[in-house]
Amino acid sequence: MAMLASFLSLASLYLIFANGVHSFEEKTFNVKKLQRKQQHGTIPGCLLPESRREKGAIILEMKDRGHCLEKNTDWNRRHKKQLVMDGLLVRSIQNQFRKMVSSQIADASEAQVPLTSGIKLQTLNYIVTMGLGGQNMTMIVDTGSDLTWVQCEPCESCYNQQGPLFKPSTSPSYQSILCNSTTCQSLPFATGNSGACGSNSSTCDYVVNYGDGSYTTGELGVEHLSFGGISVSNFVFGCGRNNKGLFGGTSGLIGLGRSDLSVISQTKATFGGVFSYCLPSTDAEASGSLVIGNESAVFKNVTPIAYTRMLPNPQLSNFYILNLTGINVGGVAMQASGFGNGGILLDSGTVITRLAPSVYKAVKEEFTKQFSGFPSAPGFSILDTCFNLTGYQEVNIPTIRMYFEDNAELNVDVTGIFYLVKKDASLVCLALASLSDEYEIGIVGNYQQRNQRVIYDTKQSKVGFAGEPCSFT
């Protein structure tokens, strides 16, 4: 029987009726197994196995970005920094939404790649490895970004990455993009910043600022992008000459948004604008997949796929926005005014899910009510519902289900309910947070998307969810 390779063990979901009393839906959180995983985990190399083609789809292995983490990184300090950065990123997303709405910006077969956790690269996002001009690049996967970029040599200012920088001078297929080109003119919609002429008055310079203070600047170029035996010619990307931020040891970032410069748009003729992923846990052995193309035969989902439509929004059309209609905690439906209030963003680049204050308050109160009898603990960074589980072998925790329009359901995996802050389990927190006010846009983060097959169909403007245990080995 397959064993769960994540730091949480998945137990059966059950609903019991005894003596007329409803027993809440629960999952088992294995505290001891989680501690052993964190104490004895190995640190593999950064590059992932080669992508492959299967049944007309490209499959890339996907891991948590910590896959490239240094061994001596301080556990508590790293997690606190990452959650602070996650909070800054969310703040930036809210500012970006306000800016885009107020300015009324309104322009504008299948591959599978290994997808892994990035925890060893000092990030809680996810990474894949692709070929760029014949050089393997390990990049962060982000559905909330559009421009793909990598660090380039020579680099004016670059953060430390585990592999070599991209060398455009050694690639016969690399070409710079001119500043007066239509591609350069499409930058405002994809990045929020206009393209500019470089120092030699011909190259198109770009700037991308992220919410946590990270940034990348450089020039736009075209190159061959390769994965799963497929080569995409004239792929537009950013050649970063000045980069700083919490990108860990990765080469850069791959944008899976909806603008013309995203990977999905640039490969639409080949793969039909469809991609999906299954995000694994942060454990070293856990590995998910990024599938580019519309070929459900390669999925390993254990529940049927349920689709919900993307909310149309001409001003914010490069984001994936859904209609959250309800949340169920331990079998109890939440009642809150924040449901259906402007949509919720589905984002692989945000770690922790953010809910409207009224929704979060209802979820928090019901969760703590059902998870009673366990000692509470102080909050940690953006997480305010925490417990001290020292000495417990395992505990039963309430289930969390998110419901979307058309009865689509995201059954949050047990690995996405609790966030282990301290290795001794003296500080374990509910992995959800509240927005500042009711009118900010909610975000479904990658922590709550674990062990799910999430399908993005940009052609038909819909998103699908299905359970898929990609953290099993």
Side-chain angles (χ1 to χ4, degrees):
M1 184 175 181
M3 296 183 65
L4 184 63
S6 68
F7 57 75
L8 302 175
S9 68
L10 178 63
S12 297
L13 177 67
Y14 62 87
L15 183 63
I16 302 174
F17 292 88
N19 298 323
V21 178
H22 174 228
S23 182
F24 299 114
E25 293 182 354
E26 298 175 324
K27 292 182 178 180
T28 301
F29 176 86
N30 193 316
V31 182
K32 289 299 180 182
K33 185 175 182 180
L34 169 58
Q35 291 174 304
R36 290 195 299 270
K37 289 288 185 183
Q38 303 306 329
Q39 292 170 357
H40 304 297
T42 58
I43 309 298
C46 188
L47 285 178
L48 306 178
E50 290 187 3
S51 53
R52 68 184 187 277
R53 184 162 188 165
E54 183 179 327
K55 300 181 184 297
I58 301 297
I59 304 174
L60 300 94
E61 184 173 344
M62 195 177 199
K63 282 187 175 291
D64 181 276
R65 189 167 66 181
H67 189 71
C68 302
L69 182 67
E70 296 178 1
K71 291 183 178 180
N72 56 359
T73 302
D74 180 79
W75 173 273
N76 291 340
R77 184 174 61 185
R78 170 165 55 85
H79 278 287
K80 186 170 185 177
K81 182 178 181 180
Q82 288 171 332
L83 289 177
V84 169
M85 294 300 103
D86 198 50
L88 293 175
L89 172 62
V90 169
R91 185 185 306 171
S92 173
I93 290 175
Q94 304 302 333
N95 291 336
Q96 184 178 3
F97 267 68
R98 294 189 190 101
K99 178 181 177 182
M100 294 180 73
V101 171
S102 62
S103 61
Q104 297 294 300
I105 296 176
D107 297 324
S109 117
E110 173 171 346
Q112 179 169 335
V113 184
L115 176 72
T116 67
S117 164
I119 196 73
K120 309 255 174 3
L121 281 179
Q122 302 186 38
T123 172
L124 292 175
N125 297 123
Y126 290 83
I127 56 174
V128 296
T129 295
M130 289 185 171
L132 192 64
Q135 304 173 43
N136 284 331
M137 299 283 116
T138 299
M139 296 175 280
I140 298 167
V141 172
D142 188 5
T143 59
S145 298
D146 293 275
L147 181 67
T148 295
W149 61 268
V150 296
Q151 298 199 113
C152 282
E153 188 179 285
C155 191
E156 178 182 338
S157 177
C158 281
Y159 58 85
N160 293 327
Q161 70 177 58
Q162 287 201 4
L165 304 183
F166 178 72
K167 300 179 180 179
S169 61
T170 65
S171 173
S173 52
Y174 176 82
Q175 291 183 338
S176 296
I177 289 178
L178 299 178
C179 67
N180 61 355
S181 66
T182 56
T183 300
C184 191
Q185 294 169 7
S186 68
L187 275 174
F189 185 60
T191 68
N193 296 295
S194 299
C197 292
S199 57
N200 60 3
S201 73
S202 62
T203 58
C204 176
D205 287 355
Y206 76 90
V207 177
V208 180
N209 296 300
Y210 298 97
D212 59 2
S214 303
Y215 61 82
T216 174
T217 67
E219 72 267 8
L220 283 190
V222 293
E223 184 56 279
H224 292 314
L225 180 69
S226 58
F227 45 87
I230 299 293
S231 180
V232 180
S233 301
N234 299 318
F235 177 75
V236 180
F237 75 105
C239 196
R241 306 290 188 178
N242 191 339
N243 319 288
K244 181 180 179 180
L246 201 67
F247 303 111
T250 64
S251 304
L253 181 146
I254 182 167
L256 297 178
R258 302 178 69 185
S259 83
D260 291 342
L261 291 185
S262 76
V263 170
I264 302 308
S265 294
Q266 291 194 59
T267 61
K268 193 174 232 178
T270 304
F271 301 113
V274 179
F275 71 96
S276 69
Y277 54 64
C278 184
L279 303 180
S281 70
T282 57
D283 190 69
E285 296 89 357
S287 179
S289 66
L290 170 64
V291 176
I292 304 176
N294 189 18
E295 182 52 73
S296 60
V298 302
F299 301 162
K300 299 179 181 178
N301 54 296
V302 294
T303 63
I305 301 172
Y307 285 95
T308 183
R309 72 183 178 106
M310 299 178 191
L311 294 185
N313 191 322
Q315 288 74 39
L316 304 171
S317 58
N318 54 336
F319 292 95
Y320 300 102
I321 305 174
L322 310 178
N323 185 17
L324 178 68
T325 59
I327 294 180
N328 181 301
V329 177
V332 178
M334 300 297 95
Q335 302 295 324
S337 61
F339 291 121
N341 186 17
I344 191 167
L345 174 66
L346 189 63
D347 184 24
S348 69
T350 299
V351 179
I352 301 297
T353 290
R354 303 308 205 281
L355 300 172
S358 62
V359 177
Y360 178 74
K361 181 175 182 290
V363 170
K364 174 181 177 178
E365 289 179 351
E366 185 61 33
F367 190 93
T368 53
K369 173 184 175 182
Q370 294 184 27
F371 195 68
S372 60
F374 296 95
S376 60
F380 181 81
S381 184
I382 60 174
L383 307 177
D384 64 6
T385 306
C386 304
F387 306 91
N388 183 346
L389 300 182
T390 305
Y392 290 94
Q393 295 285 334
E394 61 182 29
V395 295
N396 289 333
I397 59 178
T399 60
I400 296 178
R401 299 171 183 263
M402 306 179 73
Y403 296 97
F404 302 90
E405 190 175 312
D406 303 320
N407 295 318
E409 174 186 322
L410 174 61
N411 183 4
V412 179
D413 187 72
V414 68
T415 62
I417 297 177
F418 266 161
Y419 187 98
L420 179 75
V421 177
K422 293 187 177 180
K423 289 184 179 181
D424 63 0
S426 62
L427 187 57
V428 178
C429 302
L430 178 64
L432 299 171
S434 175
L435 292 168
S436 298
D437 62 61
E438 293 290 326
Y439 301 101
E440 291 185 324
I441 187 163
I443 305 173
V444 181
N446 64 49
Y447 217 76
Q448 284 65 49
Q449 296 180 51
R450 292 175 171 184
N451 288 319
Q452 309 284 336
R453 176 58 59 178
V454 184
I455 304 100
Y456 297 76
D457 188 332
T458 63
K459 185 176 181 180
Q460 299 189 47
S461 294
K462 63 181 182 179
V463 171
F465 298 101
E468 183 172 321
C470 55
S471 288
F472 282 91
T473 58

